[in-house]
Amino acid sequence: TQLLEQSPQFLSIQEGENLTVYCNSSSVFSSLQWYRQEPGEGPVLLVTVVTGGEVKKLKRLTFQFGDARKDSSLHITAAQPGDTGLYLCAGLGTNTGNQFYFGTGTSLTVIP
Amino acid sequence: ETGVTQSPTHLIKTRGQQVTLRCSSQSGHNTVSWYQQALGQGPQFIFQYYREEENGRGNFPPRFSGLQFPNYSSELNVNALELDDSALYLCASSLRQGGNYGYTFGSGTRLTVV
C-alpha cells in the first residue's frame, strides 16, 4: 500500500491568513491530484501535477509537486471562508495501474 | 454536460443483507472508479471499470463486486454487510484510465449498516 500522509490533519485560521498543507509519501507517484470536499458532497478536482518540481497556480492557491515526485504542497494565500473544506491529495502509483491513493485529508476551517 | 449521479443518496441496511449502489457516469466518460470513505478519512479505492471490465482492484474482499454497463453506468454490490461497511461510497468517472485525466466524483451514497 502506498500511503500519503497529509499534515496538518486539522487547521483553523482567521480570514486573510496564509496556510500550507503538506502531502508526503515514501513512494514515487506518476501524477498527483488535489481535491476539495465539502460536507455531503464528493471531492472536486482542483489540479493535477505530473512533472517533478511543477508549480501550478489557481487564483490564491499554489500547488507544488516535489522534485522526486514523492510529495506535494498546497499553499493558500489570504484564506477566505469559502476555502473551508476537506483537502485531499491523491497520487497515482508508478506501477499500480489505475489505483489512486488518497491522502488522509486536511480539514480546513476559515473563520470570518 | 451532466455530472456523475449516484443513487440512492442514503441507505440503511441490516448486518448480513446485500446492497446495490448505482452510478451514472459523466457524459463521454468510459471509466468508473468506486471508493469507500469512512468518516474523517480519505477515500479508499475499491475497484475500477473500463469498458465493462474490471481494471484494477483495491484491498477489499470478494463480497464487494461491481458491474459496468454498455452506457458506462456502473453498480457496486456488497454482500453479507458488516457494521464496518458503514461509510460514504463514492463513484468517480473519467475520460480514460490513468492519472492525467481528472476524476469527476458524484455526491456519494451514505450507507449505514445496523
mmCIF file of all heavy atoms in Angstrom, chain A residues 1 9 30-33 35 37 40-45 48-50 86 88 92 97-105, chain B residues 33 35 37 40-45 48 55-59 88 90 97-103 105-108:
data_model
loop_
_atom_site.group_PDB
_atom_site.id
_atom_site.type_symbol
_atom_site.label_atom_id
_atom_site.label_comp_id
_atom_site.label_asym_id
_atom_site.label_seq_id
_atom_site.Cartn_x
_atom_site.Cartn_y
_atom_site.Cartn_z
ATOM 1 N N THR A 1 0.844 -1.202 0.000
ATOM 2 C CA THR A 1 0.000 0.000 0.000
ATOM 3 C C THR A 1 0.873 1.244 0.000
ATOM 4 O O THR A 1 1.824 1.324 0.749
ATOM 5 C CB THR A 1 -0.904 0.032 1.244
ATOM 6 O OG1 THR A 1 -1.705 -1.127 1.265
ATOM 7 C CG2 THR A 1 -1.772 1.277 1.233
ATOM 8 N N GLN A 9 -3.621 17.650 10.098
ATOM 9 C CA GLN A 9 -4.890 16.957 9.927
ATOM 10 C C GLN A 9 -6.055 17.934 10.048
ATOM 11 O O GLN A 9 -7.053 17.813 9.346
ATOM 12 C CB GLN A 9 -5.020 15.850 10.970
ATOM 13 C CG GLN A 9 -6.248 14.967 10.785
ATOM 14 C CD GLN A 9 -6.324 13.843 11.789
ATOM 15 O OE1 GLN A 9 -5.444 13.681 12.639
ATOM 16 N NE2 GLN A 9 -7.387 13.050 11.725
ATOM 17 N N SER A 30 3.355 8.885 -10.342
ATOM 18 C CA SER A 30 3.458 9.377 -11.707
ATOM 19 C C SER A 30 2.665 10.670 -11.877
ATOM 20 O O SER A 30 2.970 11.474 -12.764
ATOM 21 C CB SER A 30 2.975 8.319 -12.699
ATOM 22 O OG SER A 30 1.649 7.944 -12.413
ATOM 23 N N SER A 31 1.671 10.869 -11.072
ATOM 24 C CA SER A 31 0.952 12.135 -11.062
ATOM 25 C C SER A 31 0.264 12.292 -9.708
ATOM 26 O O SER A 31 0.100 11.311 -8.971
ATOM 27 C CB SER A 31 -0.082 12.211 -12.190
ATOM 28 O OG SER A 31 -1.115 11.275 -11.982
ATOM 29 N N LEU A 32 -0.112 13.500 -9.406
ATOM 30 C CA LEU A 32 -0.745 13.764 -8.124
ATOM 31 C C LEU A 32 -1.839 14.788 -8.327
ATOM 32 O O LEU A 32 -1.667 15.740 -9.106
ATOM 33 C CB LEU A 32 0.279 14.263 -7.100
ATOM 34 C CG LEU A 32 -0.197 14.304 -5.655
ATOM 35 C CD1 LEU A 32 0.869 13.775 -4.718
ATOM 36 C CD2 LEU A 32 -0.639 15.689 -5.263
ATOM 37 N N GLN A 33 -2.939 14.574 -7.662
ATOM 38 C CA GLN A 33 -4.070 15.476 -7.771
ATOM 39 C C GLN A 33 -4.442 16.007 -6.392
ATOM 40 O O GLN A 33 -4.216 15.349 -5.378
ATOM 41 C CB GLN A 33 -5.268 14.752 -8.400
ATOM 42 C CG GLN A 33 -4.980 14.254 -9.813
ATOM 43 C CD GLN A 33 -6.156 13.531 -10.429
ATOM 44 O OE1 GLN A 33 -7.023 13.028 -9.753
ATOM 45 N NE2 GLN A 33 -6.178 13.485 -11.763
ATOM 46 N N TYR A 35 -7.818 17.639 -4.349
ATOM 47 C CA TYR A 35 -9.274 17.782 -4.369
ATOM 48 C C TYR A 35 -9.712 18.561 -3.130
ATOM 49 O O TYR A 35 -9.037 18.557 -2.099
ATOM 50 C CB TYR A 35 -9.963 16.404 -4.322
ATOM 51 C CG TYR A 35 -9.799 15.558 -5.555
ATOM 52 C CD1 TYR A 35 -8.640 14.815 -5.763
ATOM 53 C CD2 TYR A 35 -10.812 15.485 -6.500
ATOM 54 C CE1 TYR A 35 -8.504 14.012 -6.883
ATOM 55 C CE2 TYR A 35 -10.689 14.686 -7.634
ATOM 56 C CZ TYR A 35 -9.534 13.953 -7.807
ATOM 57 O OH TYR A 35 -9.398 13.167 -8.924
ATOM 58 N N GLN A 37 -13.255 18.754 -0.726
ATOM 59 C CA GLN A 37 -14.527 18.088 -0.480
ATOM 60 C C GLN A 37 -15.290 18.845 0.597
ATOM 61 O O GLN A 37 -14.748 19.154 1.655
ATOM 62 C CB GLN A 37 -14.306 16.639 -0.030
ATOM 63 C CG GLN A 37 -15.587 15.843 0.156
ATOM 64 C CD GLN A 37 -15.308 14.393 0.541
ATOM 65 O OE1 GLN A 37 -14.239 14.065 1.057
ATOM 66 N NE2 GLN A 37 -16.258 13.503 0.284
ATOM 67 N N GLY A 40 -21.136 16.291 2.757
ATOM 68 C CA GLY A 40 -22.252 15.778 1.983
ATOM 69 C C GLY A 40 -22.030 15.763 0.490
ATOM 70 O O GLY A 40 -22.950 15.438 -0.273
ATOM 71 N N GLU A 41 -20.824 16.083 0.061
ATOM 72 C CA GLU A 41 -20.526 16.119 -1.368
ATOM 73 C C GLU A 41 -19.316 15.249 -1.681
ATOM 74 O O GLU A 41 -18.552 14.874 -0.794
ATOM 75 C CB GLU A 41 -20.238 17.555 -1.820
ATOM 76 C CG GLU A 41 -21.383 18.520 -1.630
ATOM 77 C CD GLU A 41 -22.562 18.186 -2.525
ATOM 78 O OE1 GLU A 41 -22.337 17.697 -3.646
ATOM 79 O OE2 GLU A 41 -23.722 18.404 -2.090
ATOM 80 N N GLY A 42 -19.153 14.939 -2.967
ATOM 81 C CA GLY A 42 -17.955 14.240 -3.372
ATOM 82 C C GLY A 42 -16.806 15.208 -3.568
ATOM 83 O O GLY A 42 -17.009 16.414 -3.669
ATOM 84 N N PRO A 43 -15.575 14.704 -3.608
ATOM 85 C CA PRO A 43 -14.414 15.580 -3.837
ATOM 86 C C PRO A 43 -14.480 16.239 -5.210
ATOM 87 O O PRO A 43 -14.946 15.639 -6.176
ATOM 88 C CB PRO A 43 -13.234 14.605 -3.760
ATOM 89 C CG PRO A 43 -13.740 13.403 -3.027
ATOM 90 C CD PRO A 43 -15.178 13.302 -3.391
ATOM 91 N N VAL A 44 -13.997 17.470 -5.283
ATOM 92 C CA VAL A 44 -13.943 18.210 -6.539
ATOM 93 C C VAL A 44 -12.488 18.442 -6.891
ATOM 94 O O VAL A 44 -11.720 18.960 -6.069
ATOM 95 C CB VAL A 44 -14.690 19.548 -6.419
ATOM 96 C CG1 VAL A 44 -14.517 20.365 -7.699
ATOM 97 C CG2 VAL A 44 -16.176 19.311 -6.139
ATOM 98 N N LEU A 45 -12.116 18.068 -8.108
ATOM 99 C CA LEU A 45 -10.728 18.191 -8.541
ATOM 100 C C LEU A 45 -10.311 19.657 -8.635
ATOM 101 O O LEU A 45 -10.989 20.478 -9.245
ATOM 102 C CB LEU A 45 -10.549 17.525 -9.911
ATOM 103 C CG LEU A 45 -9.158 17.598 -10.530
ATOM 104 C CD1 LEU A 45 -8.164 16.787 -9.697
ATOM 105 C CD2 LEU A 45 -9.187 17.096 -11.964
ATOM 106 N N THR A 48 -4.109 18.866 -11.256
ATOM 107 C CA THR A 48 -3.288 17.676 -11.482
ATOM 108 C C THR A 48 -1.868 18.136 -11.778
ATOM 109 O O THR A 48 -1.668 19.016 -12.616
ATOM 110 C CB THR A 48 -3.801 16.846 -12.669
ATOM 111 O OG1 THR A 48 -5.142 16.424 -12.419
ATOM 112 C CG2 THR A 48 -2.939 15.609 -12.876
ATOM 113 N N VAL A 49 -0.889 17.562 -11.078
ATOM 114 C CA VAL A 49 0.514 17.847 -11.372
ATOM 115 C C VAL A 49 1.185 16.552 -11.789
ATOM 116 O O VAL A 49 0.894 15.482 -11.250
ATOM 117 C CB VAL A 49 1.240 18.501 -10.182
ATOM 118 C CG1 VAL A 49 0.813 19.945 -10.035
ATOM 119 C CG2 VAL A 49 0.986 17.739 -8.882
ATOM 120 N N VAL A 50 2.070 16.668 -12.755
ATOM 121 C CA VAL A 50 2.645 15.478 -13.370
ATOM 122 C C VAL A 50 4.174 15.472 -13.313
ATOM 123 O O VAL A 50 4.791 14.429 -13.110
ATOM 124 C CB VAL A 50 2.179 15.364 -14.839
ATOM 125 C CG1 VAL A 50 2.795 14.159 -15.504
ATOM 126 C CG2 VAL A 50 0.674 15.303 -14.917
ATOM 127 N N LEU A 86 -12.527 19.958 3.252
ATOM 128 C CA LEU A 86 -11.548 18.884 3.423
ATOM 129 C C LEU A 86 -10.688 18.834 2.171
ATOM 130 O O LEU A 86 -11.199 18.653 1.069
ATOM 131 C CB LEU A 86 -12.251 17.545 3.631
ATOM 132 C CG LEU A 86 -11.347 16.320 3.804
ATOM 133 C CD1 LEU A 86 -10.581 16.401 5.124
ATOM 134 C CD2 LEU A 86 -12.171 15.031 3.752
ATOM 135 N N LEU A 88 -7.848 17.016 -0.005
ATOM 136 C CA LEU A 88 -7.327 15.669 -0.208
ATOM 137 C C LEU A 88 -6.313 15.663 -1.330
ATOM 138 O O LEU A 88 -6.562 16.224 -2.402
ATOM 139 C CB LEU A 88 -8.459 14.708 -0.576
ATOM 140 C CG LEU A 88 -9.538 14.471 0.472
ATOM 141 C CD1 LEU A 88 -10.808 13.940 -0.179
ATOM 142 C CD2 LEU A 88 -9.041 13.491 1.519
ATOM 143 N N LEU A 92 -1.183 8.793 -8.132
ATOM 144 C CA LEU A 92 -1.262 7.611 -8.992
ATOM 145 C C LEU A 92 0.105 6.945 -8.970
ATOM 146 O O LEU A 92 1.092 7.540 -9.364
ATOM 147 C CB LEU A 92 -1.628 8.007 -10.418
ATOM 148 C CG LEU A 92 -1.869 6.847 -11.373
ATOM 149 C CD1 LEU A 92 -3.174 6.136 -11.022
ATOM 150 C CD2 LEU A 92 -1.912 7.322 -12.819
ATOM 151 N N GLY A 97 -0.981 0.594 -11.983
ATOM 152 C CA GLY A 97 -2.036 0.717 -12.970
ATOM 153 C C GLY A 97 -2.899 1.918 -12.740
ATOM 154 O O GLY A 97 -2.482 3.049 -12.941
ATOM 155 N N ASN A 98 -4.109 1.658 -12.279
ATOM 156 C CA ASN A 98 -5.082 2.734 -12.239
ATOM 157 C C ASN A 98 -5.515 3.118 -10.833
ATOM 158 O O ASN A 98 -6.515 3.781 -10.661
ATOM 159 C CB ASN A 98 -6.304 2.291 -13.032
ATOM 160 C CG ASN A 98 -5.899 1.745 -14.367
ATOM 161 O OD1 ASN A 98 -5.344 2.460 -15.171
ATOM 162 N ND2 ASN A 98 -6.129 0.462 -14.583
ATOM 163 N N GLN A 99 -4.788 2.688 -9.838
ATOM 164 C CA GLN A 99 -5.223 2.922 -8.475
ATOM 165 C C GLN A 99 -4.705 4.251 -7.963
ATOM 166 O O GLN A 99 -3.499 4.472 -7.866
ATOM 167 C CB GLN A 99 -4.724 1.795 -7.569
ATOM 168 C CG GLN A 99 -5.216 1.908 -6.149
ATOM 169 C CD GLN A 99 -5.028 0.632 -5.371
ATOM 170 O OE1 GLN A 99 -4.655 -0.395 -5.935
ATOM 171 N NE2 GLN A 99 -5.287 0.662 -4.081
ATOM 172 N N PHE A 100 -5.640 5.129 -7.640
ATOM 173 C CA PHE A 100 -5.307 6.383 -6.999
ATOM 174 C C PHE A 100 -5.318 6.177 -5.494
ATOM 175 O O PHE A 100 -6.280 5.661 -4.940
ATOM 176 C CB PHE A 100 -6.337 7.466 -7.355
ATOM 177 C CG PHE A 100 -5.861 8.415 -8.407
ATOM 178 C CD1 PHE A 100 -6.344 8.341 -9.691
ATOM 179 C CD2 PHE A 100 -4.927 9.391 -8.098
ATOM 180 C CE1 PHE A 100 -5.900 9.222 -10.669
ATOM 181 C CE2 PHE A 100 -4.486 10.276 -9.065
ATOM 182 C CZ PHE A 100 -4.976 10.192 -10.353
ATOM 183 N N TYR A 101 -4.236 6.576 -4.842
ATOM 184 C CA TYR A 101 -4.181 6.519 -3.391
ATOM 185 C C TYR A 101 -4.486 7.902 -2.843
ATOM 186 O O TYR A 101 -3.795 8.860 -3.184
ATOM 187 C CB TYR A 101 -2.798 6.083 -2.923
ATOM 188 C CG TYR A 101 -2.441 4.676 -3.294
ATOM 189 C CD1 TYR A 101 -1.774 4.402 -4.481
ATOM 190 C CD2 TYR A 101 -2.772 3.607 -2.468
ATOM 191 C CE1 TYR A 101 -1.442 3.104 -4.832
ATOM 192 C CE2 TYR A 101 -2.431 2.309 -2.800
ATOM 193 C CZ TYR A 101 -1.771 2.070 -3.985
ATOM 194 O OH TYR A 101 -1.443 0.776 -4.330
ATOM 195 N N PHE A 102 -5.489 7.985 -1.994
ATOM 196 C CA PHE A 102 -5.839 9.261 -1.390
ATOM 197 C C PHE A 102 -5.114 9.450 -0.075
ATOM 198 O O PHE A 102 -4.843 8.487 0.654
ATOM 199 C CB PHE A 102 -7.353 9.348 -1.147
ATOM 200 C CG PHE A 102 -8.119 9.842 -2.337
ATOM 201 C CD1 PHE A 102 -8.471 8.981 -3.356
ATOM 202 C CD2 PHE A 102 -8.470 11.175 -2.455
ATOM 203 C CE1 PHE A 102 -9.168 9.435 -4.467
ATOM 204 C CE2 PHE A 102 -9.177 11.640 -3.561
ATOM 205 C CZ PHE A 102 -9.518 10.767 -4.561
ATOM 206 N N GLY A 103 -4.804 10.692 0.213
ATOM 207 C CA GLY A 103 -4.214 11.039 1.489
ATOM 208 C C GLY A 103 -5.234 11.006 2.606
ATOM 209 O O GLY A 103 -6.433 10.781 2.375
ATOM 210 N N THR A 104 -4.752 11.247 3.785
ATOM 211 C CA THR A 104 -5.583 11.178 4.988
ATOM 212 C C THR A 104 -6.481 12.407 5.141
ATOM 213 O O THR A 104 -7.416 12.388 5.927
ATOM 214 C CB THR A 104 -4.688 11.046 6.218
ATOM 215 O OG1 THR A 104 -3.630 12.022 6.123
ATOM 216 C CG2 THR A 104 -4.054 9.665 6.282
ATOM 217 N N GLY A 105 -6.206 13.453 4.386
ATOM 218 C CA GLY A 105 -7.075 14.638 4.394
ATOM 219 C C GLY A 105 -6.664 15.700 5.390
ATOM 220 O O GLY A 105 -6.111 15.410 6.453
ATOM 221 N N SER B 33 -14.642 4.523 -11.288
ATOM 222 C CA SER B 33 -13.948 4.008 -10.105
ATOM 223 C C SER B 33 -14.853 4.166 -8.898
ATOM 224 O O SER B 33 -15.588 5.149 -8.793
ATOM 225 C CB SER B 33 -12.656 4.790 -9.870
ATOM 226 O OG SER B 33 -11.812 4.735 -11.001
ATOM 227 N N TYR B 35 -15.028 4.221 -4.630
ATOM 228 C CA TYR B 35 -14.242 4.456 -3.431
ATOM 229 C C TYR B 35 -15.148 4.343 -2.205
ATOM 230 O O TYR B 35 -16.338 4.670 -2.256
ATOM 231 C CB TYR B 35 -13.622 5.859 -3.443
ATOM 232 C CG TYR B 35 -12.469 6.016 -4.388
ATOM 233 C CD1 TYR B 35 -12.670 6.277 -5.742
ATOM 234 C CD2 TYR B 35 -11.149 5.895 -3.935
ATOM 235 C CE1 TYR B 35 -11.599 6.408 -6.609
ATOM 236 C CE2 TYR B 35 -10.077 6.044 -4.800
ATOM 237 C CZ TYR B 35 -10.315 6.298 -6.129
ATOM 238 O OH TYR B 35 -9.254 6.429 -6.993
ATOM 239 N N GLN B 37 -15.343 5.839 1.671
ATOM 240 C CA GLN B 37 -14.793 6.872 2.530
ATOM 241 C C GLN B 37 -15.430 6.785 3.910
ATOM 242 O O GLN B 37 -16.611 7.101 4.076
ATOM 243 C CB GLN B 37 -15.016 8.267 1.938
ATOM 244 C CG GLN B 37 -14.323 9.373 2.715
ATOM 245 C CD GLN B 37 -14.462 10.735 2.075
ATOM 246 O OE1 GLN B 37 -15.402 10.995 1.325
ATOM 247 N NE2 GLN B 37 -13.521 11.633 2.342
ATOM 248 N N GLY B 40 -14.192 11.049 8.352
ATOM 249 C CA GLY B 40 -12.941 11.680 8.753
ATOM 250 C C GLY B 40 -11.699 11.141 8.076
ATOM 251 O O GLY B 40 -10.582 11.488 8.454
ATOM 252 N N GLN B 41 -11.884 10.294 7.066
ATOM 253 C CA GLN B 41 -10.731 9.719 6.374
ATOM 254 C C GLN B 41 -10.786 10.004 4.883
ATOM 255 O O GLN B 41 -11.811 10.436 4.354
ATOM 256 C CB GLN B 41 -10.690 8.201 6.608
ATOM 257 C CG GLN B 41 -10.514 7.810 8.066
ATOM 258 C CD GLN B 41 -10.413 6.315 8.243
ATOM 259 O OE1 GLN B 41 -10.105 5.575 7.307
ATOM 260 N NE2 GLN B 41 -10.658 5.851 9.449
ATOM 261 N N GLY B 42 -9.671 9.752 4.205
ATOM 262 C CA GLY B 42 -9.651 9.882 2.759
ATOM 263 C C GLY B 42 -10.304 8.677 2.106
ATOM 264 O O GLY B 42 -10.400 7.605 2.707
ATOM 265 N N PRO B 43 -10.769 8.823 0.870
ATOM 266 C CA PRO B 43 -11.388 7.702 0.154
ATOM 267 C C PRO B 43 -10.405 6.557 -0.081
ATOM 268 O O PRO B 43 -9.232 6.784 -0.351
ATOM 269 C CB PRO B 43 -11.815 8.333 -1.174
ATOM 270 C CG PRO B 43 -11.888 9.801 -0.911
ATOM 271 C CD PRO B 43 -10.812 10.074 0.091
ATOM 272 N N GLN B 44 -10.921 5.330 0.024
ATOM 273 C CA GLN B 44 -10.124 4.133 -0.247
ATOM 274 C C GLN B 44 -10.619 3.501 -1.544
ATOM 275 O O GLN B 44 -11.816 3.282 -1.713
ATOM 276 C CB GLN B 44 -10.269 3.130 0.906
ATOM 277 C CG GLN B 44 -9.762 3.655 2.244
ATOM 278 C CD GLN B 44 -8.281 3.868 2.257
ATOM 279 O OE1 GLN B 44 -7.511 2.998 1.856
ATOM 280 N NE2 GLN B 44 -7.846 5.041 2.698
ATOM 281 N N PHE B 45 -9.692 3.170 -2.427
ATOM 282 C CA PHE B 45 -10.021 2.606 -3.736
ATOM 283 C C PHE B 45 -10.598 1.209 -3.604
ATOM 284 O O PHE B 45 -9.996 0.336 -2.969
ATOM 285 C CB PHE B 45 -8.746 2.584 -4.579
ATOM 286 C CG PHE B 45 -8.893 1.975 -5.943
ATOM 287 C CD1 PHE B 45 -9.539 2.657 -6.959
ATOM 288 C CD2 PHE B 45 -8.360 0.729 -6.213
ATOM 289 C CE1 PHE B 45 -9.648 2.108 -8.229
ATOM 290 C CE2 PHE B 45 -8.460 0.170 -7.482
ATOM 291 C CZ PHE B 45 -9.104 0.860 -8.482
ATOM 292 N N GLN B 48 -11.987 -0.355 -10.223
ATOM 293 C CA GLN B 48 -12.235 0.497 -11.382
ATOM 294 C C GLN B 48 -12.732 -0.365 -12.537
ATOM 295 O O GLN B 48 -12.282 -1.496 -12.707
ATOM 296 C CB GLN B 48 -10.948 1.216 -11.810
ATOM 297 C CG GLN B 48 -11.132 2.179 -12.978
ATOM 298 C CD GLN B 48 -9.817 2.814 -13.398
ATOM 299 O OE1 GLN B 48 -9.068 2.259 -14.194
ATOM 300 N NE2 GLN B 48 -9.535 3.992 -12.851
ATOM 301 N N ASN B 55 -10.727 -3.264 -13.984
ATOM 302 C CA ASN B 55 -9.426 -2.785 -14.457
ATOM 303 C C ASN B 55 -8.564 -2.324 -13.297
ATOM 304 O O ASN B 55 -7.889 -1.323 -13.388
ATOM 305 C CB ASN B 55 -9.681 -1.630 -15.437
ATOM 306 C CG ASN B 55 -8.441 -1.207 -16.146
ATOM 307 O OD1 ASN B 55 -7.663 -2.032 -16.579
ATOM 308 N ND2 ASN B 55 -8.231 0.095 -16.244
ATOM 309 N N GLY B 56 -8.610 -3.037 -12.218
ATOM 310 C CA GLY B 56 -7.851 -2.654 -11.033
ATOM 311 C C GLY B 56 -8.730 -2.811 -9.819
ATOM 312 O O GLY B 56 -9.929 -2.498 -9.858
ATOM 313 N N ARG B 57 -8.142 -3.306 -8.720
ATOM 314 C CA ARG B 57 -8.914 -3.559 -7.519
ATOM 315 C C ARG B 57 -8.068 -3.223 -6.298
ATOM 316 O O ARG B 57 -6.868 -3.518 -6.270
ATOM 317 C CB ARG B 57 -9.345 -5.028 -7.460
ATOM 318 C CG ARG B 57 -10.314 -5.332 -6.330
ATOM 319 C CD ARG B 57 -10.725 -6.805 -6.348
ATOM 320 N NE ARG B 57 -11.683 -7.051 -5.275
ATOM 321 C CZ ARG B 57 -13.002 -6.982 -5.401
ATOM 322 N NH1 ARG B 57 -13.533 -6.702 -6.578
ATOM 323 N NH2 ARG B 57 -13.800 -7.217 -4.364
ATOM 324 N N GLY B 58 -8.691 -2.619 -5.329
ATOM 325 C CA GLY B 58 -8.016 -2.311 -4.073
ATOM 326 C C GLY B 58 -8.125 -3.470 -3.107
ATOM 327 O O GLY B 58 -8.527 -4.577 -3.463
ATOM 328 N N ASN B 59 -7.777 -3.225 -1.865
ATOM 329 C CA ASN B 59 -7.724 -4.265 -0.854
ATOM 330 C C ASN B 59 -9.098 -4.462 -0.211
ATOM 331 O O ASN B 59 -9.292 -4.185 0.979
ATOM 332 C CB ASN B 59 -6.677 -3.887 0.203
ATOM 333 C CG ASN B 59 -6.403 -5.017 1.160
ATOM 334 O OD1 ASN B 59 -6.581 -6.177 0.817
ATOM 335 N ND2 ASN B 59 -5.996 -4.671 2.364
ATOM 336 N N LEU B 88 -19.374 6.416 3.361
ATOM 337 C CA LEU B 88 -19.815 7.111 2.153
ATOM 338 C C LEU B 88 -19.172 6.411 0.965
ATOM 339 O O LEU B 88 -17.956 6.248 0.925
ATOM 340 C CB LEU B 88 -19.382 8.580 2.203
ATOM 341 C CG LEU B 88 -19.764 9.448 0.999
ATOM 342 C CD1 LEU B 88 -21.281 9.641 0.944
ATOM 343 C CD2 LEU B 88 -19.060 10.802 1.075
ATOM 344 N N LEU B 90 -18.345 6.504 -2.887
ATOM 345 C CA LEU B 90 -18.185 7.488 -3.959
ATOM 346 C C LEU B 90 -17.897 6.810 -5.276
ATOM 347 O O LEU B 90 -17.113 5.868 -5.350
ATOM 348 C CB LEU B 90 -17.030 8.438 -3.621
ATOM 349 C CG LEU B 90 -17.226 9.340 -2.413
ATOM 350 C CD1 LEU B 90 -15.900 9.919 -1.959
ATOM 351 C CD2 LEU B 90 -18.197 10.462 -2.744
ATOM 352 N N GLN B 97 -8.720 5.804 -18.277
ATOM 353 C CA GLN B 97 -7.936 5.376 -17.132
ATOM 354 C C GLN B 97 -6.613 6.122 -17.147
ATOM 355 O O GLN B 97 -6.149 6.592 -18.159
ATOM 356 C CB GLN B 97 -7.693 3.876 -17.222
ATOM 357 C CG GLN B 97 -7.055 3.481 -18.541
ATOM 358 C CD GLN B 97 -6.991 1.986 -18.727
ATOM 359 O OE1 GLN B 97 -6.665 1.263 -17.802
ATOM 360 N NE2 GLN B 97 -7.331 1.517 -19.897
ATOM 361 N N GLY B 98 -6.033 6.226 -15.985
ATOM 362 C CA GLY B 98 -4.736 6.877 -15.928
ATOM 363 C C GLY B 98 -4.777 8.208 -15.205
ATOM 364 O O GLY B 98 -5.821 8.832 -15.069
ATOM 365 N N GLY B 99 -3.622 8.637 -14.761
ATOM 366 C CA GLY B 99 -3.570 9.761 -13.844
ATOM 367 C C GLY B 99 -3.643 11.131 -14.452
ATOM 368 O O GLY B 99 -3.772 12.107 -13.739
ATOM 369 N N ASN B 100 -3.544 11.259 -15.747
ATOM 370 C CA ASN B 100 -3.585 12.590 -16.320
ATOM 371 C C ASN B 100 -5.005 13.057 -16.585
ATOM 372 O O ASN B 100 -5.213 14.179 -17.055
ATOM 373 C CB ASN B 100 -2.787 12.628 -17.625
ATOM 374 C CG ASN B 100 -1.302 12.462 -17.342
ATOM 375 O OD1 ASN B 100 -0.877 12.541 -16.204
ATOM 376 N ND2 ASN B 100 -0.532 12.232 -18.378
ATOM 377 N N TYR B 101 -5.952 12.212 -16.292
ATOM 378 C CA TYR B 101 -7.345 12.552 -16.530
ATOM 379 C C TYR B 101 -8.034 12.712 -15.188
ATOM 380 O O TYR B 101 -8.053 11.805 -14.375
ATOM 381 C CB TYR B 101 -8.019 11.469 -17.361
ATOM 382 C CG TYR B 101 -7.387 11.325 -18.725
ATOM 383 C CD1 TYR B 101 -6.374 10.405 -18.946
ATOM 384 C CD2 TYR B 101 -7.784 12.134 -19.781
ATOM 385 C CE1 TYR B 101 -5.777 10.297 -20.181
ATOM 386 C CE2 TYR B 101 -7.190 12.030 -21.020
ATOM 387 C CZ TYR B 101 -6.176 11.113 -21.218
ATOM 388 O OH TYR B 101 -5.589 11.010 -22.446
ATOM 389 N N GLY B 102 -8.585 13.892 -15.000
ATOM 390 C CA GLY B 102 -9.211 14.177 -13.721
ATOM 391 C C GLY B 102 -10.466 13.367 -13.508
ATOM 392 O O GLY B 102 -11.171 13.030 -14.456
ATOM 393 N N TYR B 103 -10.704 13.044 -12.278
ATOM 394 C CA TYR B 103 -11.903 12.312 -11.904
ATOM 395 C C TYR B 103 -13.016 13.295 -11.577
ATOM 396 O O TYR B 103 -12.789 14.301 -10.919
ATOM 397 C CB TYR B 103 -11.646 11.447 -10.670
ATOM 398 C CG TYR B 103 -10.874 10.172 -10.914
ATOM 399 C CD1 TYR B 103 -10.275 9.898 -12.134
ATOM 400 C CD2 TYR B 103 -10.742 9.229 -9.911
ATOM 401 C CE1 TYR B 103 -9.571 8.728 -12.340
ATOM 402 C CE2 TYR B 103 -10.038 8.057 -10.102
ATOM 403 C CZ TYR B 103 -9.457 7.814 -11.324
ATOM 404 O OH TYR B 103 -8.770 6.642 -11.516
ATOM 405 N N PHE B 105 -16.316 13.262 -9.394
ATOM 406 C CA PHE B 105 -16.971 12.468 -8.367
ATOM 407 C C PHE B 105 -18.455 12.796 -8.281
ATOM 408 O O PHE B 105 -18.872 13.942 -8.475
ATOM 409 C CB PHE B 105 -16.342 12.737 -6.999
ATOM 410 C CG PHE B 105 -15.068 11.984 -6.746
ATOM 411 C CD1 PHE B 105 -13.857 12.490 -7.172
ATOM 412 C CD2 PHE B 105 -15.082 10.772 -6.080
ATOM 413 C CE1 PHE B 105 -12.675 11.802 -6.936
ATOM 414 C CE2 PHE B 105 -13.912 10.076 -5.837
ATOM 415 C CZ PHE B 105 -12.701 10.593 -6.269
ATOM 416 N N GLY B 106 -19.224 11.780 -7.923
ATOM 417 C CA GLY B 106 -20.606 12.005 -7.539
ATOM 418 C C GLY B 106 -20.654 12.448 -6.082
ATOM 419 O O GLY B 106 -19.624 12.530 -5.409
ATOM 420 N N SER B 107 -21.862 12.726 -5.611
ATOM 421 C CA SER B 107 -22.032 13.183 -4.225
ATOM 422 C C SER B 107 -22.029 12.038 -3.231
ATOM 423 O O SER B 107 -22.004 12.266 -2.023
ATOM 424 C CB SER B 107 -23.331 13.977 -4.088
ATOM 425 O OG SER B 107 -23.289 15.128 -4.886
ATOM 426 N N GLY B 108 -22.066 10.807 -3.748
ATOM 427 C CA GLY B 108 -21.931 9.659 -2.865
ATOM 428 C C GLY B 108 -23.240 9.085 -2.370
ATOM 429 O O GLY B 108 -24.300 9.715 -2.442
#
